[in-house]
Amino acid sequence: MAPITVACSLNIYEAEAKGASSTAAVLAAAGVIEIRIRLRYQLRIKAYGVEELIEDVITPELSNPFSMPLTFLFPELSITHVWNMLQSLDVDANACDYLSPKIAEFAVDVAKRRGAMENSSERTVITVAEVEITKVDFIFEEEFDKLGDKLC
């Protein structure tokens, strides 16, 4: 098979936290980041001028909230913290490298803008990162021919 193509899309925004994650974040004097990941795998045949989608699997959305201690408001620490959280979810290292700075910088900006240091128990704002990671495998002419020989 040819090299695998991996693509990431990211939608990041702030939202009001509800329930236990809000309370935990306030008690820990932390910001909350909720990562919502959807994985997609596609297998495509691209041979003899034809491209055909063979398999398209989309996983249910995995939602994982985690806190970011306010001591991590420094860019390097926050990026590393987010990278480690993504890695714990088995996200590809290249995707972690792409996503971590974007998510961390947004979360730090939200925490600073909303005065996270004030420790308001009434409302906690969280950063929500909706991530879709698509992995595409291609079967080209040579592999296609090999598969045909095995089936016949």
Side-chain angles (χ1 to χ4, degrees):
M1 284 199 205
I4 298 167
T5 302
V6 177
C8 291
S9 68
L10 173 65
N11 180 25
I12 190 165
Y13 56 92
E14 60 184 87
E16 189 172 325
K18 295 180 178 115
S21 62
S22 170
T23 306
V26 170
L27 293 176
V32 176
I33 300 174
E34 183 174 333
I35 306 286
R36 297 177 184 169
I37 297 180
R38 178 168 284 133
L39 302 174
R40 182 176 198 166
Y41 173 79
Q42 293 182 338
L43 178 62
R44 295 178 171 269
I45 293 178
K46 195 171 187 178
Y48 305 108
V50 175
E51 183 172 334
E52 188 69 35
L53 178 64
I54 301 300
E55 186 173 27
D56 189 10
V57 178
I58 302 172
T59 65
E61 182 177 83
L62 167 70
S63 182
N64 186 26
F66 63 94
S67 64
M68 184 170 72
L70 293 179
T71 55
F72 286 172
L73 291 180
F74 299 106
E76 298 79 21
L77 291 175
S78 61
I79 291 169
T80 301
H81 182 66
V82 172
W83 197 95
N84 289 336
M85 295 309 296
L86 288 170
Q87 192 70 50
S88 73
L89 298 173
D90 292 326
V91 173
D92 178 75
N94 291 329
C96 288
D97 290 342
Y98 171 77
L99 296 168
S100 297
K102 293 178 183 331
I103 295 170
E105 289 168 14
F106 191 93
V108 168
D109 183 51
V110 167
K112 287 179 180 177
R113 211 169 358 101
R114 296 292 187 149
M117 298 294 240
E118 294 171 10
N119 203 14
S120 168
S121 61
E122 300 202 4
R123 192 173 131 225
T124 299
V125 175
I126 64 171
T127 296
V128 178
E130 294 175 341
V131 178
E132 183 171 302
I133 300 173
T134 303
K135 178 180 172 183
V136 182
D137 282 328
F138 286 96
I139 297 175
F140 291 105
E141 282 92 355
E142 184 178 319
E143 294 87 11
F144 183 77
D145 292 340
K146 286 179 186 177
L147 288 172
D149 290 344
K150 288 181 182 177
L151 293 175
C152 293

